[in-house]
Amino acid sequence: MLQILRAPALLAGLLHASAAMAFSASGHEFSGALADRLLSPHAARQVQLVLGMKLAVAATWADCAKDVAPGPAGFHYVPNPRFHPACEHFETPPGRARMADYVRRNWNVCSSASEGVACHKAYHFSDVAVQHERYDRRFIGTSDHDVVSALNATIAVLRERPAPPPFSIRDRKEALLLLAHLVGDVHQPLHVGAVYLDARGAPVDPDAGAAASSVNTTRGGNSITDGATNLHALWDAIPPQLQPSRIDKARLAAARRIAANPLDPSAWPAAWATETLLASREAFDGLAFQPDAAKPGRWTVEYADRAAYIERKQAIQAQQLLRAGARLAQLLNALWP
Ligand SMILES: [Zn+2]
């Protein structure tokens, strides 16, 4: 997140981090279930050994852990009823203890903590300005604890190497729990690319020095209102045809046609983010923004044709979920050949 954020934006930043359930639970379950079907027999055995559950189940864990909060008796899990069904599997006593322990170790170990965002919540996204054509750590909206950095940390641990700071990843099971989720997040266009808007609602590039003083973040679209919802939530919502139960032969065949990256897996997360950034440019294409006079730091979105936009959104979501499932399997098949 931006260093220049001011107090009201910080509060909203907390909302961004906690309300964001990228691709909703069913989206994560979809990409996890797809990956389960695409694993090699050896990788599938390793997943079962390390994780003890299907990727489709593991894929929601990192969002469930967001319901861990600090209290007088230490960190503890207080389930949000809205997400409860997707978290049920982790609500055993050892499951709750694991979530609380992970959050405790990843609470205030990064710069986001001083800006009011618990570090483990910042692991789920980046906010690269859509004017860019690639993900690059030099850009505003990236960090050593954004979604790309977090994915690289999980890959390191799965390779039995230490996690780079600021991450604390206890073991390969925790790494795989995180990986199964974050591969979904890095394919959600509004978890990677962002528009930065000035006071008139015009897009600005925060990396083009001159505009920096008037730049304001839209927090992954959470600050852009669309009727009763917001742009981030709109992109988290998954249409019925993309529920996990709807994975059929045609989708499996399409996922198998997605080529694997020939580079070392450590280069894959940034490449995925670059591809998703291009999808987020499509997600913002043709939209106009009006500042909300009553609420500084908030805007409303205007569509040329909202129905056509929703159709385009669903096509992009289908493509991105397919990619997420394929990439998760490709990565595990590469790590466990
Ligand atoms: Zn997430």
Side-chain angles (χ1 to χ4, degrees):
M1 301 291 282
L2 284 170
Q3 299 289 342
I4 57 167
L5 291 180
R6 294 196 169 81
L10 290 184
L11 290 174
L14 281 170
L15 287 177
H16 171 29
S18 57
M21 196 76 181
F23 274 147
S24 72
S26 64
H28 285 286
E29 288 161 354
F30 182 95
S31 52
L34 195 57
D36 280 321
R37 310 263 297 265
L38 297 170
L39 290 176
S40 68
H42 178 59
R45 276 194 302 277
Q46 289 297 317
V47 166
Q48 187 56 37
L49 205 67
V50 170
L51 202 52
M53 69 188 88
K54 291 288 188 187
L55 295 168
V57 176
T60 55
W61 183 82
D63 272 346
C64 298
K66 288 178 178 171
D67 287 339
V68 170
F75 283 82
H76 63 288
Y77 172 73
V78 186
N80 178 336
R82 199 175 137 212
F83 304 127
H84 179 77
C87 301
E88 223 160 27
H89 185 86
F90 313 113
E91 292 175 344
T92 60
R96 286 167 179 258
R98 180 179 271 278
M99 288 192 285
D101 180 53
Y102 162 72
V103 168
R104 180 186 57 75
R105 284 181 282 107
N106 291 277
W107 186 254
N108 59 1
V109 289
C110 70
S111 57
S112 292
S114 61
E115 296 161 6
V117 178
C119 295
H120 73 97
K121 294 181 181 176
Y123 299 170
H124 295 239
F125 63 91
S126 68
D127 279 324
V128 180
V130 291
Q131 287 90 338
H132 294 301
E133 292 187 351
R134 67 182 193 286
Y135 172 93
D136 191 313
R137 269 289 283 113
R138 289 174 303 172
F139 295 149
I140 284 173
T142 71
S143 71
D144 65 356
H145 55 278
D146 69 5
V147 65
V148 171
S149 300
L151 280 162
N152 277 321
T154 67
I155 293 170
V157 173
L158 287 171
R159 288 172 146 175
E160 311 206 25
R161 296 172 191 165
F167 300 97
S168 173
I169 300 176
R170 188 170 97 189
D171 50 21
R172 291 196 304 161
K173 178 171 182 173
E174 196 167 278
L176 199 41
L177 285 165
L178 287 169
L179 177 73
H181 178 84
L182 297 177
V183 172
D185 278 350
V186 82
H187 284 87
Q188 207 277 42
L190 272 65
H191 267 246
V192 173
V195 284
Y196 290 79
L197 302 174
D198 69 12
R200 295 168 298 127
V204 290
D205 178 358
D207 293 295
S213 62
S214 61
V215 163
N216 213 334
T217 173
T218 60
R219 290 177 294 278
N222 277 289
S223 303
I224 301 174
T225 306
D226 173 27
T229 185
N230 66 62
L231 210 55
H232 188 99
L234 189 74
W235 278 85
D236 271 355
I238 297 296
Q241 65 270 27
L242 294 173
Q243 301 297 318
S245 61
R246 304 285 287 272
I247 296 174
D248 56 14
K249 276 187 181 159
R251 282 198 203 282
L252 280 168
R256 285 197 178 94
R257 284 195 295 272
I258 294 174
N261 188 325
L263 300 175
D264 183 80
S266 59
W268 295 7
W272 300 336
T274 286
E275 193 182 53
T276 303
L277 180 63
L278 301 181
S280 72
R281 293 173 72 160
E282 281 185 67
F284 287 107
D285 189 37
L287 302 183
F289 309 99
Q290 287 295 331
D292 185 333
K295 296 177 193 156
R298 295 199 77 89
W299 297 265
T300 54
V301 61
E302 289 169 2
Y303 306 89
D305 178 344
R306 191 175 188 278
Y309 182 82
I310 296 297
E311 213 168 290
R312 189 169 92 212
K313 177 193 85 123
Q314 294 184 355
I316 295 172
Q317 287 179 312
Q319 164 197 273
Q320 291 300 103
L321 283 176
L322 209 62
R323 285 174 171 167
R327 267 67 184 268
L328 178 56
Q330 287 167 357
L331 182 62
L332 297 173
N333 288 340
L335 294 177
W336 288 306

